[in-house]
Coordinates of all heavy atoms in Angstrom, one line a residue:
D1 N 0.8 -1.2 0.0 CA 0.1 0.0 0.0 C 0.9 1.3 0.0 O 0.3 2.4 0.1 CB -1.0 0.0 1.2 CG -0.3 0.1 2.5 OD1 1.0 0.1 2.5 OD2 -1.0 0.1 3.6
G2 N 2.2 1.1 -0.1 CA 3.1 2.3 -0.2 C 3.5 2.9 1.2 O 4.1 3.8 1.2
G3 N 3.0 2.2 2.3 CA 3.3 2.7 3.6 C 4.7 2.4 4.0 O 5.6 1.9 3.2
D4 N 5.0 2.6 5.3 CA 6.3 2.4 5.9 C 6.5 0.9 6.1 O 5.8 0.3 6.8 CB 6.4 3.1 7.2 CG 7.8 3.0 7.9 OD1 8.6 2.2 7.3 OD2 8.0 3.7 8.8
P5 N 7.4 0.3 5.4 CA 7.5 -1.2 5.5 C 8.0 -1.7 6.9 O 7.7 -2.8 7.3 CB 8.6 -1.5 4.4 CG 9.4 -0.3 4.2 CD 8.4 0.9 4.5
A6 N 8.8 -0.9 7.5 CA 9.3 -1.3 8.8 C 8.3 -1.3 9.9 O 8.4 -2.0 10.9 CB 10.5 -0.5 9.2
R7 N 7.2 -0.6 9.7 CA 6.2 -0.5 10.7 C 5.0 -1.3 10.5 O 4.2 -1.5 11.4 CB 5.9 1.0 11.0 CG 7.0 1.8 11.4 CD 7.4 1.5 12.8 NE 8.7 2.1 13.0 CZ 9.8 1.4 13.3 NH1 9.9 0.2 13.3 NH2 11.0 2.1 13.5
G8 N 4.7 -1.6 9.3 CA 3.5 -2.4 8.9 C 2.3 -1.6 9.1 O 1.2 -2.1 9.2
I9 N 2.4 -0.3 9.0 CA 1.2 0.6 9.3 C 1.2 1.6 8.0 O 2.2 2.3 7.8 CB 1.3 1.5 10.5 CG1 1.3 0.5 11.7 CG2 0.3 2.5 10.6 CD1 1.7 1.2 13.1
G10 N 0.1 1.5 7.4 CA 0.0 2.2 6.0 C -0.1 3.7 6.0 O 0.8 4.4 5.7
D11 N -1.2 4.3 6.5 CA -1.4 5.7 6.3 C -1.1 6.5 7.7 O -1.0 5.9 8.7 CB -2.8 6.0 5.9 CG -3.9 5.4 6.8 OD1 -3.6 5.2 7.9 OD2 -5.0 5.3 6.3
N12 N -1.1 7.8 7.5 CA -0.7 8.6 8.7 C -1.8 8.6 9.7 O -1.6 8.8 10.9 CB -0.4 10.0 8.2 CG 1.0 10.2 7.6 OD1 1.8 9.4 7.9 ND2 1.1 11.1 6.7
S13 N -3.1 8.5 9.3 CA -4.2 8.5 10.3 C -4.1 7.3 11.1 O -4.4 7.4 12.4 CB -5.6 8.5 9.6 OG -5.8 7.4 8.8
T14 N -3.7 6.2 10.6 CA -3.5 4.9 11.5 C -2.3 5.2 12.5 O -2.5 4.8 13.6 CB -3.2 3.8 10.6 OG1 -4.3 3.6 9.6 CG2 -3.2 2.5 11.4
R15 N -1.3 5.7 11.9 CA -0.2 6.0 12.9 C -0.6 7.0 14.0 O -0.2 6.8 15.1 CB 1.0 6.7 12.1 CG 1.7 5.7 11.2 CD 2.7 6.4 10.4 NE 3.1 5.7 9.2 CZ 4.4 5.7 8.8 NH1 5.2 6.3 9.4 NH2 4.6 4.9 7.8
E16 N -1.3 8.0 13.6 CA -1.8 9.0 14.6 C -2.7 8.4 15.7 O -2.6 8.6 16.8 CB -2.5 10.2 13.9 CG -3.1 11.2 14.8 CD -1.9 12.0 15.5 OE1 -0.8 11.9 15.1 OE2 -2.3 12.7 16.5
Q17 N -3.6 7.5 15.2 CA -4.5 6.8 16.1 C -3.7 5.9 17.1 O -3.9 6.0 18.3 CB -5.5 6.0 15.3 CG -6.5 5.3 16.1 CD -7.6 4.6 15.3 OE1 -7.2 4.1 14.2 NE2 -8.7 4.4 15.8
L18 N -2.7 5.2 16.5 CA -1.9 4.4 17.4 C -1.1 5.2 18.4 O -1.0 4.9 19.6 CB -0.9 3.5 16.5 CG -0.1 2.4 17.2 CD1 -1.0 1.5 17.9 CD2 0.8 1.7 16.2
R19 N -0.5 6.3 17.9 CA 0.2 7.2 18.8 C -0.7 7.7 20.0 O -0.3 7.8 21.1 CB 0.8 8.4 18.0 CG 1.7 9.4 18.8 CD 2.1 10.6 18.1 NE 1.0 11.4 17.7 CZ 0.3 12.2 18.6 NH1 0.7 12.3 19.8 NH2 -0.7 13.0 18.1
L20 N -1.9 8.0 19.6 CA -2.9 8.5 20.6 C -3.1 7.5 21.7 O -3.3 7.7 22.9 CB -4.2 9.0 20.0 CG -4.0 10.3 19.2 CD1 -5.3 10.6 18.5 CD2 -3.6 11.5 20.1
Y21 N -3.3 6.3 21.2 CA -3.5 5.1 22.1 C -2.3 5.0 23.1 O -2.5 4.8 24.3 CB -3.7 3.8 21.4 CG -5.0 3.6 20.8 CD1 -5.2 3.2 19.5 CD2 -6.2 3.7 21.6 CE1 -6.5 2.9 19.0 CE2 -7.5 3.5 21.1 CZ -7.6 3.2 19.8 OH -8.8 3.0 19.3
F22 N -1.0 5.0 22.5 CA 0.1 5.0 23.4 C 0.1 6.1 24.4 O 0.4 5.9 25.7 CB 1.4 5.1 22.6 CG 1.6 3.8 21.7 CD1 2.2 3.9 20.5 CD2 1.4 2.6 22.3 CE1 2.5 2.8 19.8 CE2 1.7 1.4 21.5 CZ 2.2 1.6 20.2
E23 N -0.2 7.3 24.0 CA -0.2 8.5 24.9 C -1.2 8.2 26.0 O -0.9 8.6 27.2 CB -0.4 9.8 24.2 CG 0.8 10.2 23.4 CD 0.5 11.4 22.5 OE1 -0.5 12.0 22.6 OE2 1.5 11.8 21.8
R24 N -2.5 7.8 25.7 CA -3.4 7.5 26.7 C -3.0 6.5 27.7 O -3.2 6.6 28.9 CB -4.8 7.0 26.0 CG -5.6 8.3 25.4 CD -6.8 7.8 24.6 NE -7.6 6.9 25.4 CZ -8.6 6.2 24.8 NH1 -8.8 6.1 23.5 NH2 -9.4 5.4 25.5
I25 N -2.4 5.4 27.2 CA -2.0 4.4 28.1 C -0.9 4.9 29.0 O -0.9 4.6 30.3 CB -1.5 3.1 27.3 CG1 -2.7 2.5 26.6 CG2 -0.7 2.1 28.1 CD1 -2.3 1.4 25.5
E26 N 0.1 5.7 28.5 CA 1.1 6.2 29.3 C 0.6 7.1 30.4 O 1.0 7.0 31.5 CB 2.1 7.0 28.4 CG 3.0 6.0 27.6 CD 3.8 6.7 26.5 OE1 3.5 7.9 26.2 OE2 4.7 6.1 25.9
R27 N -0.4 7.9 30.0 CA -1.1 8.9 31.0 C -1.7 8.0 32.0 O -1.6 8.3 33.3 CB -2.0 9.8 30.3 CG -2.7 10.8 31.2 CD -3.7 11.7 30.4 NE -4.6 11.0 29.6 CZ -5.7 10.3 29.9 NH1 -6.0 10.1 31.1 NH2 -6.4 9.8 29.0
L28 N -2.4 7.0 31.7 CA -3.1 6.2 32.7 C -2.1 5.5 33.6 O -2.4 5.3 34.8 CB -4.1 5.2 32.0 CG -5.3 5.8 31.3 CD1 -6.0 4.8 30.4 CD2 -6.2 6.4 32.4
K29 N -1.0 5.1 33.1 CA 0.0 4.4 33.9 C 0.6 5.4 35.0 O 0.7 5.0 36.1 CB 1.2 3.9 33.0 CG 0.8 2.5 32.4 CD 2.0 2.0 31.6 CE 1.7 0.6 31.1 NZ 2.8 0.0 30.5
K30 N 0.8 6.6 34.5 CA 1.2 7.6 35.4 C 0.2 7.9 36.5 O 0.6 8.0 37.7 CB 1.6 8.9 34.8 CG 2.8 8.9 34.0 CD 3.1 10.2 33.2 CE 4.3 10.1 32.4 NZ 4.5 11.4 31.5
E31 N -1.0 8.0 36.2 CA -2.1 8.2 37.1 C -2.2 7.0 38.1 O -2.4 7.2 39.3 CB -3.4 8.4 36.4 CG -3.6 9.7 35.7 CD -4.9 9.9 35.0 OE1 -5.9 9.1 35.2 OE2 -5.0 10.7 34.1
H32 N -2.1 5.8 37.6 CA -2.1 4.6 38.3 C -1.0 4.6 39.4 O -1.2 4.3 40.6 CB -2.1 3.4 37.5 CG -2.2 2.1 38.2 ND1 -1.1 1.4 38.6 CD2 -3.2 1.4 38.6 CE1 -1.4 0.3 39.2 NE2 -2.8 0.3 39.2
K33 N 0.2 4.9 38.9 CA 1.3 5.0 39.9 C 1.1 6.0 40.9 O 1.4 5.8 42.1 CB 2.6 5.3 39.1 CG 3.9 5.2 40.1 CD 5.1 5.6 39.4 CE 6.3 5.6 40.2 NZ 6.2 5.7 41.6
G34 N 0.5 7.2 40.6 CA 0.2 8.2 41.6 C -0.8 7.7 42.6 O -0.5 7.9 43.8
I35 N -1.8 7.1 42.2 CA -2.8 6.6 43.1 C -2.2 5.5 43.9 O -2.5 5.4 45.2 CB -4.0 6.0 42.3 CG1 -4.8 7.2 41.7 CG2 -5.0 5.2 43.2 CD1 -5.9 6.8 40.7
S36 N -1.5 4.6 43.4 CA -0.8 3.5 44.2 C 0.1 4.1 45.3 O 0.1 3.6 46.4 CB 0.2 2.6 43.3 OG -0.7 1.9 42.4

């Protein structure tokens, strides 16, 4: 599909969506550590 071969992710919107998931998970992990 012409995307980045090393990542297996074709378009920028998919990359952006994945990046947003990572950021949300990282934020939740920080909150979890704070609560713990």
Side-chain angles (χ1 to χ4, degrees):
D1 65 359
D4 183 351
R7 299 291 168 243
I9 299 172
D11 59 19
N12 285 334
S13 65
T14 305
R15 290 177 196 215
E16 179 65 15
Q17 188 177 21
L18 187 57
R19 185 186 63 76
L20 291 172
Y21 282 130
F22 288 143
E23 288 176 1
R24 282 174 53 196
I25 291 167
E26 289 168 344
R27 180 180 45 78
L28 290 168
K29 282 184 173 185
K30 284 179 186 174
E31 289 175 17
H32 182 269
K33 183 180 179 343
I35 291 170
S36 293

